[in-house]
Amino acid sequence: MFKTLIEPFRIKTVEPIRRTTPDERRAALAAAGNNVFLLKAEDVLIDLLTDSGTGAMSAAQWGALLQGDESYAGSRSYFRFEEAVRNITHRKHIIPTHQGRAAERILFGSILKPGDLVPNNTHFDTTRANVEVMGATALDLVIAEGKVPSLIHPFKGNLDLARLERVLSEDGHKVPLVMVTVTNNSGGGQPVSLENIRGISALCKKFDKPLFIDACRFAENAWFIKQREPGQSERTPLEIAQEMFSLAQGATMSAKKDGLANIGGFLALDRDDWAEQCRNLLILTEGFPTYGGLAGYDLEAIAQGLKEVVDEDYLRYRIRVTEYVGEALTKVGVPILLPTGGHAVYLDARAFLPHVPPLEYPGIAIINALYLDGGVRGVEIGTVMFGQKPDGSEAPAAMDLVRLAIPRRVYTQSHMDYVVEAVAHVYAQREKLRGWRMVHRPKALRHFTATFEPMT
Ligand code: F0G
């Protein structure tokens, strides 16, 4: 009856955010080597660096924290967590980890060897790094449409099945597992269709390879399937998610995203021998298999979060926020990756700044301007993040994007209106923006700690 879609919650606890002056921001960015990762969060007004671990927990989650059982082994909280994860994934072994990359490291550290290949739609930065550190190759096989920011397609995260089949038939002996990332973060938070996951699953079966889902944003992916895939609109997000997982044999998960928690993750898998190797590595570096580097209360928060994240009102609101920001930016002419994804709006930095070549990092130019002008922090997903090859050379990434990731249940519509205004302001000044030179060039995951200076 009414068209205004409201935040499906009211706010019980507030945290002030601090305004800074342009001079303060200039000084803060310079002190951070012109890399917004190195800023103090207090110097940021609206922080869209990541949607990971930055969400607001519900009253029910805070209540669950008090139920945390801190027993070293066999804690009650572990069994609640295991039940919540198993209800969605149906996997035999559920191994808690302190976050997603720990699940990746334990899995890849146990099963990959030098020369192996890991196909995925698109590996996220930590996933790629954890594959490469084992001497294996991370292969990105997203469909061609997924690499063209302006092209509209309902499932731009889909994996190219023909290319996967070719890899499996030509180099199958080097492939210990196949992965698919839902939603496809590096490709714009774009969903993968159920039909595509079924196709990947069938190929994996044909070549006898296990399929693992990088499940960080599984609920957002399920919502897109419900909205966009023929025949899915009557199903609940939970039913859709359960089918997604039923097509795989394992999952890595960062509970900092669709676990609605501030920390945590898990590895879920069926194979007994792999599970044993993974648990051994877990004990060595994370902790006993019933806590995996987490407190009992963290396990409680995740168990509750996994129930809340598949709520339809929540997901409708969640996906509408990115769509709302995307529509407003499109209206003022800002080039964004279309259609808007699940957890973030991605600016197309190459179209935004056509005069700044990829190796002068157009994404950094936009991000730094957005911080200096508006106090808003985003993140580059482009040539800084993905341009460095394992041999140390550098080449432009598939796309240069600026991700404005939206923390879950944290900001209101007026915060988003402010962000749109700030981006539009930077866009209006775009001709004045110049490229950046990387001064400190770390060898791995360089975007976190690199420093920059302006090109003259
Ligand atoms: N896989 C995907 C698709 C991710 O987006 C992330 C994290 C991870 C794995 C690793 O999880 O952070 O818990 O270790 N992405 C965050 C981001 C950091 O900002 O997109 P983690």
Side-chain angles (χ1 to χ4, degrees):
M1 194 170 147
F2 300 107
K3 72 176 185 359
T4 307
L5 195 86
I6 60 168
E7 285 89 358
F9 49 79
R10 52 187 182 176
I11 296 165
K12 203 192 262 293
T13 310
V14 297
E15 183 181 12
I17 49 178
R18 191 170 77 90
R19 283 190 178 278
T20 47
T21 64
D23 281 344
E24 285 171 335
R25 291 196 291 277
R26 242 188 311 277
L29 190 62
N34 298 305
N35 180 350
V36 292
F37 269 109
L38 305 178
L39 286 171
K40 288 186 181 145
E42 262 189 341
D43 293 332
V44 175
L45 183 64
I46 297 186
D47 202 348
L48 308 183
L49 183 73
T50 178
D51 62 319
S52 181
T54 52
M57 291 210 295
S58 67
Q61 283 179 294
W62 284 108
L65 291 194
L66 287 178
Q67 307 288 329
D69 172 359
E70 304 304 340
S71 304
Y72 189 93
S75 92
R76 189 177 57 232
S77 301
Y78 170 74
F79 293 106
R80 281 201 191 129
F81 164 86
E82 185 190 40
E83 192 192 336
V85 175
R86 186 164 291 131
N87 178 42
I88 300 168
T89 66
H90 297 304
R91 292 284 81 82
K92 185 171 175 194
H93 302 282
I94 313 283
I95 301 173
T97 59
H98 81 272
Q99 59 184 84
R101 71 197 68 182
E104 293 162 4
R105 196 187 61 78
I106 284 160
L107 176 66
F108 299 149
S110 301
I111 67 165
L112 291 188
K113 54 182 193 320
D116 280 350
L117 291 178
V118 181
N120 198 332
N121 46 353
T122 315
H123 291 81
F124 193 59
D125 59 351
T126 58
T127 327
R128 169 171 288 280
N130 273 300
V131 168
E132 289 175 351
V133 82
M134 297 303 295
T137 301
L139 269 186
D140 289 344
L141 302 178
V142 73
I143 55 169
E145 291 89 332
K147 289 187 224 160
V148 187
S150 59
L151 200 145
I152 307 251
H153 181 289
F155 292 104
K156 275 175 112 167
N158 281 356
L159 192 145
D160 185 331
L161 297 177
R163 287 180 68 200
L164 177 62
E165 180 151 30
R166 202 167 337 124
V167 170
L168 290 175
S169 61
E170 287 169 12
D171 286 314
H173 59 288
K174 296 185 194 161
V175 177
L177 82 172
V178 174
M179 295 201 67
V180 61
T181 305
V182 298
T183 57
N184 186 23
N185 185 9
S186 320
Q190 298 293 314
V192 181
S193 71
L194 206 45
E195 188 190 14
N196 190 249
I197 303 175
R198 289 189 191 122
I200 301 167
S201 178
L203 281 175
C204 287
K205 201 174 234 168
K206 179 172 163 194
F207 290 92
D208 198 22
K209 304 293 176 194
L211 172 61
F212 275 64
I213 297 184
D214 178 339
C216 298
R217 301 176 180 87
F218 74 94
E220 293 172 5
N221 200 80
W223 181 257
F224 281 116
I225 289 174
K226 182 175 165 69
Q227 298 305 304
R228 296 182 183 169
E229 194 155 343
Q232 299 299 322
S233 62
E234 297 303 314
R235 301 175 81 191
T236 66
L238 177 62
E239 285 165 347
I240 294 170
Q242 286 167 331
E243 181 176 347
M244 283 159 43
F245 285 106
S246 76
L247 293 162
Q249 290 70 45
T252 54
M253 169 80 183
S254 168
K256 300 171 74 171
K257 285 91 168 171
D258 276 353
L260 298 181
N262 299 121
I263 195 72
F266 60 79
L267 170 64
L269 72 172
D270 287 338
R271 256 181 82 157
D272 296 330
D273 55 340
W274 284 9
E276 187 178 343
Q277 282 168 268
C278 290
R279 284 204 177 96
N280 289 339
L281 196 50
L282 183 88
I283 292 171
L284 197 64
T285 57
E286 292 272 303
F288 192 73
T290 60
Y291 74 86
L294 295 169
Y297 53 67
D298 296 322
L299 295 167
E300 295 280 351
I302 297 166
Q304 177 61 27
L306 288 172
K307 294 189 180 111
E308 295 177 12
V309 79
V310 289
D311 177 76
E312 295 201 13
D313 280 340
Y314 163 74
L315 283 170
R316 185 177 297 109
Y317 139 80
R318 170 77 179 148
I319 302 303
R320 178 61 194 143
V321 173
T322 46
E323 194 183 45
Y324 173 83
V325 174
E327 282 169 6
L329 289 174
T330 303
K331 209 176 272 174
V332 292
V334 176
I336 63 166
L337 192 148
L338 292 168
T340 42
H343 63 295
V345 175
Y346 294 67
L347 312 180
D348 178 356
R350 284 184 198 162
F352 197 117
L353 296 180
H355 57 285
V356 179
L359 293 180
E360 293 178 16
Y361 315 129
I364 298 297
I366 296 169
I367 281 164
N368 287 353
L370 193 56
Y371 175 69
L372 290 174
D373 291 352
V376 175
R377 173 157 73 168
V379 73
E380 193 250 23
I381 302 221
T383 301
V384 175
M385 190 179 274
F386 290 115
Q388 193 179 31
K389 304 292 147 206
D391 68 3
S393 63
E394 190 180 32
M399 296 184 276
D400 273 289
L401 304 172
V402 166
R403 186 185 73 173
L404 305 175
I406 302 175
R408 293 169 180 77
R409 309 189 290 202
V410 169
Y411 294 115
T412 63
Q413 189 166 342
S414 65
H415 290 113
M416 293 299 112
D417 290 339
Y418 176 92
V419 168
V420 169
E421 218 183 312
V423 174
H425 173 82
V426 172
Y427 189 60
Q429 318 284 319
R430 64 192 177 280
E431 279 163 24
K432 289 192 218 144
L433 298 189
R434 295 286 167 266
W436 292 77
R437 194 186 345 263
M438 198 184 298
V439 186
H440 173 56
R441 307 175 75 93
K443 288 204 167 52
L445 292 170
R446 61 183 186 167
H447 49 291
F448 290 121
T449 52
T451 60
F452 300 90
E453 63 183 24
M455 308 279 295
T456 44

